[in-house]
Amino acid sequence: QLLAEYTVNYKKTHSQTLLPMLDEIKKMIDLSMTDIDAIAVAKGPGSFTGLRIGSATAKGLGLALKKPLVEIPTVDGIAYQMYGHSRLVCPLMDARRNQVYTGLYKFEDAKDGHKFVVKKEQCAVSIDEIIDNPLGENAKRIHNGLVPSNAGDVFIEIMPGWSVVENENTPNQRVKQVR
Protein backbone atom coordinates (compact mmCIF):
# COMPACT_ATOMS: atom_id res chain seq x y z
CA GLN A 1 0.00 0.00 0.00
CA LEU A 2 1.39 3.39 -1.03
CA LEU A 3 1.12 5.83 1.86
CA ALA A 4 2.64 8.92 0.27
CA GLU A 5 4.17 10.19 -2.93
CA TYR A 6 5.98 13.45 -3.61
CA THR A 7 6.62 14.74 -7.13
CA VAL A 8 8.46 17.92 -8.04
CA ASN A 9 9.22 19.16 -11.53
CA TYR A 10 11.39 22.16 -10.84
CA LYS A 11 14.92 23.37 -11.61
CA LYS A 12 16.46 22.10 -8.35
CA THR A 13 18.68 19.01 -8.30
CA HIS A 14 18.16 15.71 -6.50
CA SER A 15 20.83 16.71 -3.99
CA GLN A 16 18.82 19.85 -3.14
CA THR A 17 15.38 18.22 -2.92
CA LEU A 18 15.64 14.57 -1.87
CA LEU A 19 16.22 14.86 1.88
CA PRO A 20 13.74 17.75 2.38
CA MET A 21 11.12 15.73 0.44
CA LEU A 22 11.73 12.65 2.60
CA ASP A 23 11.43 14.79 5.74
CA GLU A 24 8.15 16.33 4.51
CA ILE A 25 6.66 12.90 3.73
CA LYS A 26 7.75 11.61 7.14
CA LYS A 27 5.90 14.51 8.80
CA MET A 28 2.78 14.23 6.57
CA ILE A 29 2.14 10.57 7.42
CA ASP A 30 3.44 10.68 11.01
CA LEU A 31 6.13 8.14 10.17
CA SER A 32 8.60 7.08 12.81
CA MET A 33 11.90 6.07 11.23
CA THR A 34 11.95 3.01 13.49
CA ASP A 35 8.81 1.75 11.68
CA ILE A 36 10.75 1.30 8.45
CA ASP A 37 11.67 -2.33 7.68
CA ALA A 38 14.00 -1.70 4.74
CA ILE A 39 15.05 1.02 2.31
CA ALA A 40 14.40 0.51 -1.40
CA VAL A 41 16.51 2.23 -4.03
CA ALA A 42 16.43 2.25 -7.84
CA LYS A 43 19.45 0.39 -9.18
CA GLY A 44 19.12 1.61 -12.76
CA PRO A 45 18.94 2.21 -15.54
CA GLY A 46 18.62 5.95 -15.14
CA SER A 47 20.53 9.17 -14.81
CA PHE A 48 23.99 8.42 -13.41
CA THR A 49 23.90 11.43 -11.10
CA GLY A 50 20.34 10.72 -9.94
CA LEU A 51 21.13 7.06 -9.25
CA ARG A 52 24.31 8.02 -7.39
CA ILE A 53 22.51 10.57 -5.19
CA GLY A 54 19.65 8.17 -4.50
CA SER A 55 22.01 5.31 -3.66
CA ALA A 56 24.19 7.47 -1.40
CA THR A 57 21.12 8.79 0.43
CA ALA A 58 19.65 5.30 0.83
CA LYS A 59 22.99 3.90 2.04
CA GLY A 60 23.36 6.72 4.59
CA LEU A 61 19.83 6.19 5.90
CA GLY A 62 20.32 2.42 5.98
CA LEU A 63 23.54 2.71 7.98
CA ALA A 64 22.09 5.29 10.40
CA LEU A 65 18.88 3.30 10.94
CA LYS A 66 20.53 -0.15 10.75
CA LYS A 67 18.07 -1.15 8.02
CA PRO A 68 18.78 -3.28 4.93
CA LEU A 69 18.85 -1.82 1.43
CA VAL A 70 16.77 -3.39 -1.35
CA GLU A 71 17.79 -2.64 -4.94
CA ILE A 72 14.92 -2.42 -7.43
CA PRO A 73 15.60 -2.44 -11.19
CA THR A 74 14.11 0.81 -12.54
CA VAL A 75 12.00 -0.80 -15.28
CA ASP A 76 10.66 -3.34 -12.75
CA GLY A 77 9.61 -0.41 -10.55
CA ILE A 78 7.78 1.26 -13.43
CA ALA A 79 6.00 -2.00 -14.27
CA TYR A 80 5.00 -2.55 -10.63
CA GLN A 81 2.93 0.63 -10.78
CA MET A 82 0.42 -1.46 -12.77
CA TYR A 83 -0.04 -3.84 -9.80
CA GLY A 84 -3.06 -6.08 -10.21
CA HIS A 85 -3.40 -5.42 -13.94
CA SER A 86 -4.46 -8.60 -15.73
CA ARG A 87 -2.41 -7.99 -18.89
CA LEU A 88 1.26 -8.23 -19.71
CA VAL A 89 3.03 -4.99 -18.84
CA CYS A 90 5.81 -3.61 -21.04
CA PRO A 91 7.12 -0.22 -19.89
CA LEU A 92 9.39 1.83 -22.16
CA MET A 93 11.99 4.23 -20.81
CA ASP A 94 14.11 6.48 -23.02
CA ALA A 95 17.67 5.13 -23.22
CA ARG A 96 18.71 7.82 -25.73
CA ARG A 97 20.41 7.17 -29.05
CA ASN A 98 17.13 5.80 -30.44
CA GLN A 99 16.95 3.02 -27.83
CA VAL A 100 14.60 2.22 -24.96
CA TYR A 101 14.89 0.25 -21.74
CA THR A 102 12.09 -2.27 -21.54
CA GLY A 103 11.02 -5.63 -20.12
CA LEU A 104 7.91 -7.81 -19.88
CA TYR A 105 5.99 -8.35 -16.66
CA LYS A 106 2.80 -10.05 -15.50
CA PHE A 107 0.73 -10.09 -12.32
CA GLU A 108 -0.43 -13.65 -11.76
CA ASP A 109 -3.14 -14.62 -9.32
CA ALA A 110 -1.84 -15.89 -5.98
CA LYS A 111 -3.47 -16.86 -2.68
CA ASP A 112 -2.58 -13.49 -1.13
CA GLY A 113 -3.37 -11.26 -4.12
CA HIS A 114 -1.13 -10.98 -7.15
CA LYS A 115 2.38 -12.26 -7.76
CA PHE A 116 4.74 -9.99 -9.75
CA VAL A 117 6.41 -12.13 -12.43
CA VAL A 118 9.28 -10.96 -14.62
CA LYS A 119 8.68 -12.53 -18.06
CA LYS A 120 11.64 -10.77 -19.71
CA GLU A 121 14.25 -8.93 -17.65
CA GLN A 122 14.90 -5.29 -18.34
CA CYS A 123 17.12 -4.65 -21.35
CA ALA A 124 18.02 -1.94 -23.84
CA VAL A 125 16.68 -2.36 -27.37
CA SER A 126 16.48 -0.21 -30.47
CA ILE A 127 13.18 1.60 -30.85
CA ASP A 128 13.27 0.39 -34.47
CA GLU A 129 12.86 -3.19 -33.20
CA ILE A 130 9.66 -2.16 -31.47
CA ILE A 131 8.43 -0.12 -34.45
CA ASP A 132 9.19 -2.88 -36.98
CA ASN A 133 8.07 -5.79 -34.83
CA PRO A 134 6.25 -4.79 -31.62
CA LEU A 135 6.54 -7.76 -29.29
CA GLY A 136 6.86 -10.03 -32.30
CA GLU A 137 3.16 -9.87 -33.16
CA ASN A 138 0.59 -7.80 -34.95
CA ALA A 139 -0.71 -5.26 -32.47
CA LYS A 140 -3.80 -3.26 -31.70
CA ARG A 141 -4.12 -0.17 -29.50
CA ILE A 142 -5.20 0.02 -25.89
CA HIS A 143 -4.79 3.25 -23.95
CA ASN A 144 -1.41 4.58 -25.16
CA GLY A 145 0.13 1.17 -25.73
CA LEU A 146 0.31 -1.92 -27.88
CA VAL A 147 -1.52 -5.20 -27.56
CA PRO A 148 -0.43 -8.33 -29.44
CA SER A 149 -3.62 -9.62 -31.01
CA ASN A 150 -2.96 -13.29 -30.24
CA ALA A 151 -0.95 -13.07 -27.02
CA GLY A 152 -3.41 -11.58 -24.57
CA ASP A 153 -3.16 -7.87 -23.79
CA VAL A 154 -0.05 -5.83 -23.20
CA PHE A 155 0.14 -2.32 -21.86
CA ILE A 156 3.14 -0.29 -23.04
CA GLU A 157 3.89 3.08 -21.53
CA ILE A 158 5.11 5.28 -24.35
CA MET A 159 8.04 7.50 -23.44
CA PRO A 160 7.83 11.28 -23.92
CA GLY A 161 8.21 12.25 -27.56
CA TRP A 162 6.70 8.99 -28.87
CA SER A 163 3.12 7.97 -29.49
CA VAL A 164 1.10 5.12 -30.91
CA VAL A 165 -0.23 5.82 -34.40
CA GLU A 166 -2.24 3.96 -37.02
CA ASN A 167 -0.09 2.12 -39.56
CA GLU A 168 -1.02 3.34 -43.06
CA ASN A 169 -0.99 -0.18 -44.55
CA THR A 170 -2.85 -2.12 -41.86
CA PRO A 171 -5.29 -1.43 -39.06
CA ASN A 172 -2.55 -2.36 -36.56
CA GLN A 173 -0.99 0.22 -34.29
CA ARG A 174 2.69 1.14 -34.32
CA VAL A 175 5.00 3.30 -32.23
CA LYS A 176 6.14 6.47 -33.98
CA GLN A 177 8.42 9.30 -32.90
CA VAL A 178 6.74 12.69 -32.62
CA ARG A 179 9.03 15.44 -33.95
Side-chain angles (χ1 to χ4, degrees):
Q1 176 187 359
L2 179 66
L3 298 178
E5 183 176 41
Y6 197 129
T7 304
V8 174
N9 190 11
Y10 191 66
K11 300 173 189 172
K12 292 185 178 182
T13 65
H14 285 76
S15 61
Q16 294 171 300
T17 59
L18 185 56
L19 286 173
M21 287 168 57
L22 291 173
D23 189 49
E24 185 66 27
I25 285 176
K26 182 177 83 76
K27 290 175 187 173
M28 278 193 299
I29 63 171
D30 295 323
L31 177 69
S32 169
M33 297 305 275
T34 57
D35 292 338
I36 295 173
D37 296 320
I39 298 171
V41 63
K43 78 173 194 178
S47 147
F48 177 74
T49 301
L51 291 170
R52 190 178 65 205
I53 291 166
S55 294
T57 302
K59 187 173 183 179
L61 288 171
L63 288 170
L65 299 170
K66 296 181 172 69
K67 302 292 181 177
L69 294 182
V70 179
E71 295 178 328
I72 308 293
T74 304
V75 179
D76 292 17
I78 294 169
Y80 199 81
Q81 293 178 53
M82 298 295 294
Y83 179 82
H85 201 278
S86 63
R87 299 174 172 140
L88 282 170
V89 180
C90 181
L92 298 178
M93 182 178 151
D94 191 356
R96 303 195 185 201
R97 296 191 174 128
N98 218 26
Q99 289 195 320
V100 294
Y101 297 114
T102 190
L104 277 177
Y105 306 87
K106 179 87 174 163
F107 294 96
E108 296 179 353
D109 290 333
K111 290 179 184 176
D112 56 351
H114 300 283
K115 179 181 174 186
F116 183 68
V117 178
V118 177
K119 296 287 192 177
K120 180 178 180 181
E121 290 190 20
Q122 71 177 18
C123 60
V125 298
S126 164
I127 192 66
D128 293 331
E129 291 178 45
I130 294 171
I131 292 169
D132 294 338
N133 192 10
L135 307 176
E137 304 291 338
N138 290 330
K140 60 182 179 178
R141 183 175 183 189
I142 66 164
H143 303 288
N144 63 342
L146 297 171
V147 183
S149 57
N150 65 350
D153 292 335
V154 175
F155 177 86
I156 298 181
E157 181 178 324
I158 303 299
M159 63 189 173
W162 295 80
S163 65
V164 176
V165 296
E166 189 77 26
N167 184 318
E168 299 86 28
N169 301 322
T170 70
N172 296 326
Q173 302 293 320
R174 295 288 187 237
V175 179
K176 181 177 181 182
Q177 188 169 16
V178 178
R179 294 179 197 246

